[in-house]
Amino acid sequence: MTPDCFPSRLSYLDWLHTARMHPPAPGHEYCEDCTFEYQSQMIRQGRCQYPGTTFKQWGEGRDLAIVGRRPHHVVCKMKQVAIYGVG
Protein backbone atom coordinates (compact mmCIF):
# COMPACT_ATOMS: atom_id res chain seq x y z
CA MET A 1 0.00 0.00 0.00
CA THR A 2 1.37 3.41 -0.97
CA PRO A 3 1.44 5.99 1.84
CA ASP A 4 -0.76 9.01 1.10
CA CYS A 5 2.19 11.41 1.26
CA PHE A 6 3.83 9.96 -1.86
CA PRO A 7 2.74 11.56 -5.14
CA SER A 8 2.50 8.17 -6.90
CA ARG A 9 2.99 4.43 -6.46
CA LEU A 10 6.11 4.68 -8.65
CA SER A 11 7.70 7.30 -6.38
CA TYR A 12 7.04 5.04 -3.37
CA LEU A 13 8.59 2.06 -5.17
CA ASP A 14 11.63 4.23 -5.97
CA TRP A 15 11.90 5.11 -2.28
CA LEU A 16 11.65 1.41 -1.32
CA HIS A 17 14.45 0.55 -3.75
CA THR A 18 16.72 3.22 -2.27
CA ALA A 19 15.74 2.22 1.28
CA ARG A 20 17.00 -1.30 0.62
CA MET A 21 20.46 0.13 -0.02
CA HIS A 22 20.31 2.70 2.82
CA PRO A 23 17.75 1.43 5.35
CA PRO A 24 16.06 3.95 7.64
CA ALA A 25 15.97 3.42 11.40
CA PRO A 26 13.39 0.79 12.39
CA GLY A 27 9.97 2.32 13.03
CA HIS A 28 10.68 5.54 11.16
CA GLU A 29 10.58 4.31 7.55
CA TYR A 30 9.79 7.01 4.96
CA CYS A 31 9.36 9.75 7.59
CA GLU A 32 13.14 9.66 8.03
CA ASP A 33 13.56 11.14 4.56
CA CYS A 34 10.80 13.72 4.85
CA THR A 35 11.36 17.44 5.44
CA PHE A 36 9.56 19.92 7.66
CA GLU A 37 8.33 21.82 4.60
CA TYR A 38 6.95 18.71 2.87
CA GLN A 39 5.38 17.46 6.09
CA SER A 40 3.64 20.84 6.55
CA GLN A 41 2.26 20.64 3.01
CA MET A 42 1.03 17.06 3.54
CA ILE A 43 -0.61 18.00 6.86
CA ARG A 44 -2.47 20.87 5.16
CA GLN A 45 -3.65 18.43 2.47
CA GLY A 46 -4.63 15.77 5.02
CA ARG A 47 -2.07 13.33 3.60
CA CYS A 48 0.41 13.00 6.51
CA GLN A 49 -0.06 9.78 8.51
CA TYR A 50 2.49 10.81 11.18
CA PRO A 51 2.05 14.54 11.86
CA GLY A 52 3.91 14.16 15.17
CA THR A 53 7.16 13.46 13.30
CA THR A 54 9.91 15.87 14.32
CA PHE A 55 13.12 16.70 12.51
CA LYS A 56 16.56 16.38 14.12
CA GLN A 57 20.02 17.42 13.00
CA TRP A 58 22.55 14.59 13.05
CA GLY A 59 26.25 14.87 12.44
CA GLU A 60 28.20 17.97 11.63
CA GLY A 61 30.00 19.68 8.77
CA ARG A 62 29.83 17.68 5.55
CA ASP A 63 28.12 14.83 7.41
CA LEU A 64 25.23 17.00 8.64
CA ALA A 65 21.82 15.51 7.94
CA ILE A 66 18.30 16.36 9.01
CA VAL A 67 16.21 13.28 9.63
CA GLY A 68 12.56 12.77 10.49
CA ARG A 69 11.76 10.90 13.70
CA ARG A 70 8.32 9.58 14.56
CA PRO A 71 7.20 9.96 18.18
CA HIS A 72 8.52 7.27 20.54
CA HIS A 73 5.06 5.93 21.39
CA VAL A 74 4.31 5.42 17.69
CA VAL A 75 7.54 3.48 17.13
CA CYS A 76 6.88 1.33 20.23
CA LYS A 77 3.37 0.50 19.02
CA MET A 78 4.66 -0.41 15.55
CA LYS A 79 7.25 -2.75 17.10
CA GLN A 80 4.60 -4.33 19.32
CA VAL A 81 2.35 -4.99 16.34
CA ALA A 82 5.26 -6.42 14.34
CA ILE A 83 6.39 -8.72 17.15
CA TYR A 84 3.14 -9.76 18.80
CA GLY A 85 0.50 -8.90 16.22
CA VAL A 86 -1.34 -6.65 18.69
CA GLY A 87 -1.52 -2.90 19.11
Side-chain angles (χ1 to χ4, degrees):
M1 183 171 157
T2 303
D4 292 339
C5 58
F6 281 84
S8 68
R9 174 102 175 122
L10 182 58
S11 67
Y12 180 59
L13 293 174
D14 286 344
W15 180 86
L16 285 174
H17 176 75
T18 301
R20 285 188 186 103
M21 295 180 285
H22 306 284
H28 298 283
E29 285 81 32
Y30 47 86
C31 292
E32 185 166 294
D33 295 324
C34 194
T35 65
F36 176 77
E37 292 81 11
Y38 192 72
Q39 178 198 40
S40 297
Q41 179 183 349
M42 293 298 101
I43 290 171
R44 285 191 303 273
Q45 293 178 14
R47 294 173 51 196
C48 182
Q49 292 178 277
Y50 300 98
T53 296
T54 57
F55 298 91
K56 313 280 187 210
Q57 287 188 356
W58 287 26
E60 55 188 56
R62 298 180 92 196
D63 295 325
L64 178 66
I66 297 176
V67 296
R69 287 290 178 251
R70 292 178 182 166
H72 180 71
H73 71 279
V74 170
V75 174
C76 289
K77 184 174 182 175
M78 292 173 77
K79 288 180 182 177
Q80 199 173 21
V81 169
I83 295 169
Y84 304 109
V86 295

